[in-house]
């Protein structure tokens, strides 16, 4: 960008020289009034003066005076010099030409325009023909229509040496990077720029953080268009203030290779508050314009109480425009090595990701391999169609957990899932078919750890009806093998019709739907299906009615909705007693609240409840939101899930309460209370409190009786001493086992460009090779460079 602006400036200067050569030749004059005096020595022209020099250059002025004897030309008033071929204009108040001294001066608000795209403004331009120099001793500025600007406090151009010398040079490029030089020399013959005392203020968005002020300064600057060099350079991205920056890099030399798009540092120190912390004889990183660049990533020193001390140095390799690889070797102190690789490839209609590792120790090894591929098919039948292949395997059940292997393909270190899936979708139709396998790494029985589904499919289509509603057809099926010798074959077909909601004249909102379901199944050693071919039909009718009310106030609006629903099925319920299903206020008024695929909720039931909310009138935000409901039956349905409490004549009273009066306090409570109100079977409370610099949140869960037995209490508390310093504490205690699961305590210092923290972690768990761990470490995160961690102290 600097070279582009300099080239335009050169064009201006060369044009000024050409103008001068034209004026020094024989001239022709035109004017409304021409007067010749003093024995033909002086020519005076007024009104519409036009000075002609060849076919290219035309000078317009209000007045002109030419002394033939002294060889001195002076023109004034609305000077306009045009070059029609090059589409260039020069505007000034006055122009003089002294033939004896071969000196031309253009003065008074001088402005040069090129094609209306580039403009140079100054007060005075002097051209000395004998020495071929152009002098601009006043401030001059050149702009283009894209937003680039370059300004000189003083400018000297020598056409013989082809050198431009400038003082107090300021440059603003289109990317809003601002350059300052005390003195600069541009060598046109070699296309070089040399400057001293350089200061570069980069655009705040260069690192994606508006709070930073990224900048670079140095004693010496050199650029030849291919590379730039700054000596004794200092770089930081920290916000400007009167104090020293939280961090900065000082280097003997900083070199920017524009062709390779790499910035190299030589003899560099990383300083934290002016104190040298790390020394780098040499290092490099890609310039901000590069999206991908091969090179080493942030190294890590990791100290684990279970695995010991290790060193990790990832390397990122750009293979081609659409392919790259991350190689992450991790070397342990006990003659061990872990080598993890991640390969990525993206094409026009496909993408591929592979993640694999090898852990070696003495003569033993452990491995994992994950792979995921997605290919777009562009089938005419669907708006979107694709096929996805996923493979996951490991040689050791505990390998992923013990070494904390993280992957973009699978975030579950206890369950592996391999599959082949086809997906197709359009506005009113969806189809999915798949073959998949699961491997439960926590199952000690090697034969029972696998589950195979081959194949399975799901098809759905929505059809608009002429009866103020629509139909939905859903068909799904699968063939499953699990626990070694259990086989299940299932085919399910649903037909559902739903009427559009209708509002009665009295204000009631009515909804109606019915469902027809056919389930064809055959099992072998299965507890879910008969050991023979079986076909069963199910039906369900659902009617929902609600009556919304609104009470408008001056500052708040009250909303209350009475709700009720009737559901009936002539079918008896399957044995679903042990099915893990919980009912909450969000699903209790739905037809398939138990999320059943191969059955419906049998019998008849009446669901009654209501919802209330208090909203601010100014913004519509909820201050209070509450709901409660219960399900009534004429007979017990002992086969329905026990945890849902729908098996009783009267289910639990299920509800929620959210209170958020302001930004400082939020209370969220979900509950399930016995229908006799004697005990509570489920309580989940979440509370967020913020008072000035103190923020705390609690989460409490308690399950009793048939709903479950899980219970825990967790807390996260933080206190900000000021804008920079804070203390944070996290813990969770299992109330069922009276066992603390973990502690985290973090003391942190943070500003716009640096975060330093002391962190204490203690995790309690035991799982084969996994043991409780305790860590204490210090970390520094430097924006936008990296995170440095010390080994943990155990």
């Amino acid at each position: 960008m600097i070279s582009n602006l300099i080239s335009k400036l050169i064009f201006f200067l060369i044009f000024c020289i050409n103008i001068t050569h034209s004026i020094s030749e024989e001239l022709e004059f035109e004017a409304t009034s021409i007067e010749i005096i003093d024995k033909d020595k002086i020519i005076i022209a007024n009104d519409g003066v036009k000075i002609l020099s060849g076919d290219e250059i035309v000078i317009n002025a209000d007045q002109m005076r030419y002394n033939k004897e002294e060889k001195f030309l002076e023109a004034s008033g609305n000077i306009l010099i045009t070059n029609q071929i090059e589409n260039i204009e020069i505007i000034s108040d006055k122009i003089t030409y002294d033939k004896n001294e071969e000196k031309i001066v253009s003065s008074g608000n001088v402005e040069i325009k090129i094609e209306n795209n580039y403009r140079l403004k100054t007060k005075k331009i002097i051209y000395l023909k004998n020495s071929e120099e152009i002098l601009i001793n006043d401030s001059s500025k050149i702009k283009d229509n894209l937003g680039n600007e370059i300004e000189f406090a003083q400018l000297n151009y020598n056409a013989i040496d082809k050198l431009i010398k400038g003082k107090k040079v300021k440059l603003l490029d289109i990317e809003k990077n601002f350059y300052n030089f005390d003195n600069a020399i541009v060598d046109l013959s070699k296309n070089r720029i040399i400057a001293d005392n350089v200061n570069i203020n980069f655009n705040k968005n260069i690192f994606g953080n508006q709070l930073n002020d990224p900048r670079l300064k140095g004693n010496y600057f050199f650029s030849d268009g291919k590379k730039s060099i700054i000596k004794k350079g200092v770089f930081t991205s920290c916000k400007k203030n009167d104090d020293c920056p939280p961090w900065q890099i000082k280097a003997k030399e900083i070199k920017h290779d524009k062709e390779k798009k790499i910035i190299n540092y030589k003899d560099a120190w990383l300083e934290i508050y002016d104190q040298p912390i790390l020394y780098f004889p040499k290092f490099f990183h890609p310039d901000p314009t590069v999206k991908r660049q091969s090179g080493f990533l942030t190294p890590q020193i990791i100290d684990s109480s279970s695995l010991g001390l290790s060193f990790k140095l990832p390397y990122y390799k750009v293979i081609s425009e659409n392919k790259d690889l991350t190689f992450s070797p991790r070397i342990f102190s006990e003659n061990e090595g872990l080598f993890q690789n991640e390969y990525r490839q993206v094409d026009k209609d496909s993408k591929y990701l592979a993640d694999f590792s090898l852990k070696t120790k003495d003569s033993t090894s452990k491995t994992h391999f994950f792979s995921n591929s997605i290919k777009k098919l562009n089938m005419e039948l669907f708006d979107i169609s694709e096929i996805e292949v996923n493979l996951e395997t490991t040689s050791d059940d505990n390998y992923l957990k013990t070494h904390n292997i993280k992957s973009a393909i699978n975030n579950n270190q206890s369950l592996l899932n391999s599959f082949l899936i086809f997906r197709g979708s359009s506005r009113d139709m969806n189809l999915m078919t798949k073959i998949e396998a699961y491997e439960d790494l926590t199952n000690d029985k090697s034969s029972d750890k696998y589950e195979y589904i081959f194949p399975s499919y799901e098809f759905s289509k929505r059809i608009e009806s002429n009866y103020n509603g629509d139909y939905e057809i859903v068909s799904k099926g699968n063939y499953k093998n699990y626990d070694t010798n259990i086989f299940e074959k299932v085919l399910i077909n649903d037909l559902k019709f739903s009427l559009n909601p209708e509002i009665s004249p009295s204000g009631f909102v009515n909804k109606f739907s019915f469902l027809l379901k056919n389930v064809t199944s055959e099992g072998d050693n299965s507890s879910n299906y008969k050991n023979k071919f079986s076909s069963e039909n199910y039906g369900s009718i659902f009617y929902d009615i609600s009556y919304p009310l609104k009470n408008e106030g001056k500052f708040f609006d009250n909303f209350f909705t009475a709700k009720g629903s009737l559901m009936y099925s002539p079918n008896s319920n399957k044995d679903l007693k042990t099915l893990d299903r919980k009912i909450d206020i969000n699903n209790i008024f739905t037809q398939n609240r138990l999320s059943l695929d191969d059955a419906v909720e049998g019998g008849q039931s009446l669901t009654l409840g209501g919802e209330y909310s208090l909203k601010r009138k100014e913004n519509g935000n909820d201050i209070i939101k509450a709901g409660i409901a219960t399900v009534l039956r004429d007979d017990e349905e002992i086969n329905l899930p026990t945890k849902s409490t729908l098996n009783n004549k009267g289910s639990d009273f299920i509800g929620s309460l959210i209170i958020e009066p302001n930004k400082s306090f939020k209370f969220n409570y979900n509950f399930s209370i016995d229908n006799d109100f004697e005990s509570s079977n489920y309580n989940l409370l979440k509370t967020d409190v913020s008072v000035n610099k103190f923020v705390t949140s609690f989460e409490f869960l308690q399950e009793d009786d048939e709903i479950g037995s899980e219970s825990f209490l967790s807390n996260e508390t933080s206190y900000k001493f000021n804008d920079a310093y804070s203390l944070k504490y996290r813990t969770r205690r299992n109330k069922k086992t009276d066992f603390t699961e973990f502690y985290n305590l973090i003391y942190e210092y943070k500003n716009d460009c640096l975060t330093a923290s002391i962190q204490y972690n203690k995790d309690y768990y035991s799982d084969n090779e996994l043991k409780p761990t305790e860590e204490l470490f210090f970390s520094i995160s430097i924006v936008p460079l990296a995170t440095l961690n010390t080994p943990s102290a155990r």
Side-chain angles (χ1 to χ4, degrees):
M1 193 57 63
I2 295 178
S3 60
N4 183 46
L5 286 171
I6 293 295
S7 67
K8 296 304 176 186
L9 178 61
I10 295 166
F11 190 85
F12 284 134
L13 299 176
I14 292 174
F15 174 68
C16 291
I17 293 174
N18 291 336
I19 290 282
T20 305
H21 282 297
S22 298
I23 295 175
S24 66
E25 299 171 354
E26 286 298 325
L27 304 176
E28 294 181 9
F29 305 98
E30 293 181 3
T32 303
S33 172
I34 297 179
E35 182 181 359
I36 300 174
I37 61 175
D38 198 9
K39 300 180 181 180
D40 297 336
K41 293 179 182 179
I42 299 174
I43 300 174
I44 300 173
N46 292 289
D47 300 329
V49 178
K50 182 177 291 187
I51 306 171
L52 305 175
S53 176
D55 297 330
E56 297 182 11
I57 308 299
V58 177
I59 303 175
N60 292 277
D62 291 342
Q63 297 175 345
M64 183 204 75
R65 180 184 180 93
Y66 180 53
N67 191 318
K68 289 183 179 182
E69 186 174 63
E70 296 180 1
K71 296 181 180 181
F72 187 86
L73 171 71
E74 179 181 1
S76 61
N78 298 313
I79 301 294
L80 174 62
I81 306 173
T82 59
N83 182 325
Q84 297 179 353
I85 295 177
E86 300 292 345
N87 195 11
I88 300 174
E89 294 182 353
I90 297 181
I91 300 171
S92 67
D93 295 337
K94 183 178 180 181
I95 184 169
T96 63
Y97 171 51
D98 188 335
K99 176 64 176 176
N100 295 322
E101 295 185 9
E102 292 295 351
K103 178 180 178 181
I104 294 180
V105 178
S106 182
S107 59
N109 299 314
V110 180
E111 181 175 356
I112 304 176
K113 300 179 183 179
I114 298 180
E115 298 177 347
N116 291 321
N117 292 324
Y118 301 94
R119 297 187 177 205
L120 182 144
K121 289 185 177 182
T122 188
K123 293 182 179 179
K124 189 176 184 180
I125 296 178
I126 302 173
Y127 172 61
L128 305 176
K129 185 179 178 183
N130 293 332
S131 60
E132 292 290 331
E133 286 183 287
I134 292 179
L135 306 178
I136 303 177
N137 295 318
D138 299 301
S139 175
S140 58
K141 181 182 291 185
I142 178 174
K143 292 183 178 182
D144 65 18
N145 287 349
L146 298 176
N148 300 297
E149 297 181 13
I150 186 168
E151 183 176 350
F152 296 86
Q154 184 177 334
L155 175 66
N156 180 304
Y157 172 61
N158 190 302
I160 298 174
D161 298 331
K162 294 186 177 180
L163 292 178
I164 298 176
K165 298 179 180 180
K167 292 185 178 181
K168 302 296 181 183
V169 183
K170 299 178 182 180
L171 187 147
L172 178 66
D173 65 23
I174 190 175
E175 296 171 347
K176 304 304 180 185
N177 300 310
F178 190 72
Y179 302 77
N180 277 280
F181 309 106
D182 279 358
N183 299 282
I185 300 175
V186 181
D187 188 337
L188 304 182
S189 61
K190 297 180 180 179
N191 192 28
R192 292 178 177 177
I193 302 174
I194 300 174
D196 64 357
N197 293 329
V198 56
N199 283 276
I200 306 174
N201 294 287
F202 297 103
N203 187 335
K204 289 176 176 287
N205 291 321
I206 194 171
F207 298 118
N209 188 346
Q210 284 283 351
L211 298 178
N212 293 145
D213 291 317
R215 57 198 181 275
L216 172 65
K217 65 180 181 179
N219 292 347
Y220 169 86
F221 175 83
F222 169 84
S223 177
D224 62 3
K226 294 182 180 180
K227 64 179 180 294
S228 297
I229 297 174
I230 294 178
K231 293 185 177 180
K232 293 187 178 180
V234 181
F235 173 76
T236 184
S237 68
C238 298
K239 191 174 182 179
K240 292 181 180 179
N241 53 47
D242 295 333
D243 301 323
C244 62
W247 73 265
Q248 62 184 11
I249 293 179
K250 288 185 176 180
K252 183 178 180 181
E253 181 180 283
I254 302 174
K255 183 177 180 181
H256 181 197
D257 191 322
K258 297 180 181 180
E259 292 182 335
K260 296 181 180 179
K261 297 184 177 181
I262 292 176
I263 299 177
N264 294 279
Y265 296 80
K266 182 179 179 181
D267 292 336
W269 277 96
L270 171 64
E271 294 185 353
I272 306 294
Y273 285 105
D274 281 346
Q275 298 300 314
I277 302 297
L278 287 176
Y279 173 71
F280 304 93
K282 291 183 179 180
F283 83 97
F284 69 92
H285 62 78
D287 69 24
T289 65
V290 176
K291 294 183 179 179
R292 300 190 306 154
Q293 175 71 49
S294 297
F296 288 100
L297 304 179
T298 306
Q300 290 180 298
I301 298 175
I302 306 168
D303 195 6
S304 168
S305 58
S306 57
L307 297 175
L309 185 67
S310 63
F311 176 73
K312 183 177 180 180
L313 181 59
Y315 181 80
Y316 175 74
K317 173 64 177 176
V318 176
I319 301 173
S320 65
E321 184 178 350
N322 65 327
K323 302 173 185 176
D324 56 41
L325 172 74
T326 302
F327 174 59
S328 303
R330 182 178 171 186
I331 307 302
F332 294 82
S333 57
E334 299 295 330
N335 194 28
E336 298 179 61
L338 192 159
F339 308 94
Q340 187 172 358
N341 306 271
E342 186 174 291
Y343 171 78
R344 296 163 291 270
Q345 178 176 335
V346 178
D347 297 309
K348 179 181 178 182
D349 293 322
S350 65
K351 58 182 178 180
Y352 176 70
L353 174 63
D355 184 359
F356 49 97
S357 69
L358 170 66
K359 166 71 184 301
T360 61
K361 182 179 182 181
D362 300 327
S363 59
T364 63
S365 64
K366 298 177 182 180
T367 63
H368 94 276
F369 177 80
F370 295 163
S371 171
N372 182 267
S373 303
I374 299 177
K375 170 68 176 177
K376 294 181 181 179
L377 301 179
N378 300 318
M379 300 175 66
E380 293 184 1
L381 183 61
F382 301 100
D383 296 332
I384 300 174
S385 57
E386 64 182 21
I387 188 167
E388 181 177 1
V389 181
N390 194 80
L391 299 174
E392 298 177 10
T393 182
T394 181
S395 62
D396 184 272
D397 289 350
N398 297 300
Y399 172 58
L400 301 177
K401 279 187 176 181
T402 54
H403 295 84
N404 194 23
I405 301 295
K406 296 181 179 180
S407 171
I409 298 175
N410 185 349
N411 59 5
N412 191 331
Q413 297 174 336
S414 300
L415 183 67
L416 304 182
N417 180 209
S418 298
F419 55 79
L420 169 65
I421 297 180
F422 165 80
R423 301 182 186 92
S425 63
S426 58
R427 186 179 65 86
D428 57 2
M429 183 173 64
N430 293 280
L431 174 64
M432 181 181 70
T433 63
K434 64 180 176 179
I435 300 172
E436 62 182 330
Y438 292 93
E439 181 180 357
D440 184 359
L441 301 179
T442 63
N443 196 324
D444 295 332
K445 294 183 179 180
S446 58
S447 60
D448 290 349
K449 65 193 302 184
Y450 299 100
E451 178 179 325
Y452 304 98
I453 304 175
F454 51 93
S456 69
Y457 81 94
E458 182 172 344
F459 171 81
S460 66
K461 183 171 179 60
R462 186 174 296 275
I463 304 171
E464 293 184 2
S465 169
N466 295 327
Y467 298 99
N468 195 29
D470 55 46
Y471 292 94
E472 184 179 14
I473 299 172
V474 179
S475 180
K476 61 181 70 175
N478 64 74
Y479 180 31
K480 184 186 299 185
N481 170 221
Y482 60 96
D483 289 350
T484 308
N485 63 346
I486 298 178
F487 297 87
E488 295 175 349
K489 291 182 283 186
V490 183
L491 176 63
I492 303 169
N493 293 296
D494 291 349
L495 173 62
K496 184 175 182 180
F497 176 75
S498 301
L499 283 174
N500 295 328
E502 293 185 355
I503 302 177
S504 69
S506 55
F508 287 94
V509 180
N510 300 276
K511 301 177 185 178
F512 174 81
S513 64
F514 71 81
L515 171 68
L516 299 177
K517 180 187 294 285
N518 174 260
V519 179
T520 302
S521 63
E522 183 178 357
D524 186 2
N525 300 317
S526 171
S527 60
N528 298 318
Y529 304 104
K530 300 175 183 178
N531 289 339
K532 63 178 182 179
F533 180 85
S534 175
S535 180
E536 298 177 283
N537 295 314
Y538 299 89
S540 175
I541 298 175
F542 181 79
Y543 173 69
D544 180 272
I545 185 171
S546 60
Y547 191 67
L549 299 170
K550 178 181 180 181
N551 181 20
E552 292 191 1
K554 184 176 182 180
F555 301 106
F556 306 98
D557 291 335
N558 292 270
F559 296 85
F560 176 74
T561 302
K563 304 184 71 173
S565 65
L566 289 167
M567 186 159 56
Y568 170 75
S569 172
N571 301 97
S572 299
N573 285 296
K574 295 175 59 176
D575 187 358
L576 306 172
K577 290 190 290 291
T578 59
L579 194 65
D580 187 7
R581 294 290 187 271
K582 291 186 178 72
I583 302 298
D584 58 40
I585 196 64
N586 297 312
N587 64 17
I588 195 170
F589 285 100
T590 61
Q591 189 169 11
N592 190 19
R593 54 194 168 199
L594 292 174
S595 300
L596 302 176
D597 277 338
D598 56 358
V600 298
E601 183 180 326
Q604 55 263 12
S605 65
L606 170 64
T607 305
L608 297 174
E611 295 178 351
Y612 170 78
S613 63
L614 175 66
K615 297 178 180 288
R616 293 187 187 276
K617 204 173 188 66
E618 58 182 359
N619 54 25
N621 291 341
D622 288 321
I623 300 174
I624 299 175
K625 187 175 182 180
I628 190 169
T630 186
V631 180
L632 305 175
R633 296 181 180 277
D634 51 355
D635 292 308
E636 290 186 352
E637 293 287 349
I638 59 173
N639 287 325
L640 288 178
T642 304
K643 287 187 176 183
S644 71
T645 72
L646 296 180
N647 54 325
N648 302 317
K649 281 189 175 183
S651 74
D652 283 2
F653 280 93
I654 296 162
S656 68
L657 173 63
I658 300 174
I659 302 175
E660 191 173 3
N662 49 52
K663 294 181 179 180
S664 300
F665 179 80
K666 183 176 181 179
F667 176 78
N668 192 336
Y669 177 39
N670 290 274
F671 58 87
S672 180
I673 304 173
D674 267 342
N675 53 21
D676 56 7
F677 293 99
E678 291 187 356
S679 62
S680 177
N681 297 322
Y682 177 83
N683 294 283
L684 177 61
L685 296 94
K686 298 179 182 179
T687 303
D688 298 317
V689 179
S690 175
V691 180
N692 296 327
K693 300 176 181 180
F694 176 81
V695 179
T696 186
S697 62
F698 290 92
E699 183 173 351
F700 173 73
L701 172 66
Q702 181 180 5
E703 296 178 341
D704 290 322
D705 297 336
E706 63 266 28
I707 287 184
S709 58
E710 186 177 359
S711 180
F712 68 79
L713 174 64
S714 66
N715 172 247
E716 180 173 329
T717 300
S718 64
Y719 180 77
K720 294 188 69 173
F721 299 94
N722 51 43
D723 291 338
Y725 295 92
S726 66
L727 182 69
K728 183 181 291 185
Y729 172 75
R730 296 173 62 245
T731 187
R732 173 168 157 151
R733 186 169 185 83
N734 190 316
K735 304 292 288 183
K736 177 183 176 182
T737 60
D738 198 26
F739 184 78
T740 300
E741 297 177 357
F742 64 83
Y743 290 112
N744 296 137
L745 182 63
I746 304 171
Y747 179 71
E748 182 178 79
Y749 167 78
K750 184 176 182 180
N751 58 35
D752 63 287
C753 64
L754 182 144
T755 300
S757 65
I758 299 175
Q759 183 169 345
Y760 170 75
N761 297 330
K762 189 168 186 178
D763 294 311
Y764 301 87
Y765 50 78
S766 179
D767 184 2
N768 295 334
E769 295 184 24
L770 297 176
K771 299 177 182 179
T773 61
E774 188 174 10
E775 298 175 327
L776 177 65
F777 62 91
F778 173 72
S779 69
I780 300 177
S781 297
I782 299 173
V783 179
L785 298 182
T787 299
L788 305 176
N789 295 316
T790 64
S792 63
R794 291 171 290 163

